[in-house]
Amino acid sequence: MLRTNLAPLDTYLADAMSLAGAEFLDRYPWPMLVVPEPSPDVLVRIRRPETVIEDAANQSTTKINLNPRTLKGASLDALCLEVRPRRGGNGNRVSIGRSPEADVVLLDESVSRFHAEISWGTDRSQCVLKDLGARNSTLLEARPVTANVRIPLSSGMVLTFGALPTRFYTPEAFLEWVATGAPRAGASPGKWPDRP
């Protein structure tokens, strides 16, 4: 998600260690997609100076400032992307895709402009995935998802959008993962699927 407040993994690690569980969940109330060990290509695209965030509501553009000084001491073993609507978007449904208009922007050529969506009811711990007819499909635990069919999600499931593997977490499960098993100092976040 290319937003000005894209936090490095170390921010979540530090907050999980210093905040009470309820405080952490108040600060990070959204489900998460974790992109394991992003390829250098992804990191270069995130850091490039021409990468921008468009804010349709304010008709403004903000350059992303993720240079090495900003990320000093940060772990780049995983990118943590909040599954939340853009400002002014629908509060219980989030679009995922390569388009800058998607709620969660995934920078990978194999991802469709509007690839999939995740929705929930009043409780964000009960989420549902729907493939939006993406050309390179969506995989759930390595199985293709039929377009426009709603599939319940559980924390820890591997979702692959095109060729980009991610792991899905509800807010509570993300806190548990960060507090007990998230990567530290070069460790990888568990066993991840290889990129096709």
Side-chain angles (χ1 to χ4, degrees):
M1 188 178 311
L2 294 182
R3 293 180 170 159
T4 52
N5 60 349
L6 179 66
L9 180 59
D10 286 354
T11 299
Y12 299 108
L13 292 170
D15 286 348
M17 297 303 132
S18 64
L19 299 174
E23 290 174 301
F24 185 93
L25 294 173
D26 283 344
R27 186 171 290 178
Y28 307 110
W30 301 99
M32 291 281 196
L33 286 176
V34 178
V35 181
E37 300 174 350
S39 72
D41 293 357
V42 170
L43 294 176
V44 165
R45 280 180 280 171
I46 289 174
R47 289 185 187 157
R48 72 182 181 197
E50 67 272 17
T51 302
V52 295
I53 300 167
E54 294 184 64
D55 185 345
N58 294 332
Q59 298 293 317
S60 65
T61 310
T62 307
K63 291 201 185 255
I64 295 176
N65 183 18
L66 290 181
N67 61 44
R69 283 194 300 262
T70 306
L71 296 174
K72 183 178 177 188
S75 169
L76 294 176
D77 297 315
L79 289 176
C80 302
L81 308 175
E82 288 181 298
V83 179
R84 65 177 171 91
R86 290 165 44 116
R87 206 172 320 148
N90 186 332
N92 66 348
R93 183 176 49 234
V94 171
S95 61
I96 298 166
R98 195 180 70 245
S99 169
E101 288 83 35
D103 295 304
V104 178
V105 178
L106 298 177
L107 291 174
D108 193 290
E109 284 76 21
S110 68
V111 175
S112 295
R113 287 180 44 76
F114 290 96
H115 198 101
E117 74 177 23
I118 294 177
S119 59
W120 52 82
T122 56
D123 183 1
R124 291 187 189 121
S125 65
Q126 302 294 317
C127 297
V128 175
L129 170 73
K130 181 169 82 170
D131 179 276
L132 298 176
R135 185 181 59 187
N136 290 320
S137 75
T138 304
L139 303 179
L140 177 62
E141 295 292 314
R143 290 185 205 94
V145 173
T146 304
N148 298 309
V149 173
R150 294 167 48 90
I151 308 288
L153 291 176
S154 298
S155 280
M157 286 183 152
V158 175
L159 306 178
T160 306
F161 302 99
L164 184 68
T166 68
R167 195 173 295 270
F168 171 81
Y169 291 100
T170 62
E172 295 80 7
F174 179 71
L175 169 58
E176 182 180 344
W177 178 72
V178 172
T180 62
R184 288 167 174 82
S188 65
K191 186 171 174 123
W192 290 90
D194 292 329
R195 285 179 67 95

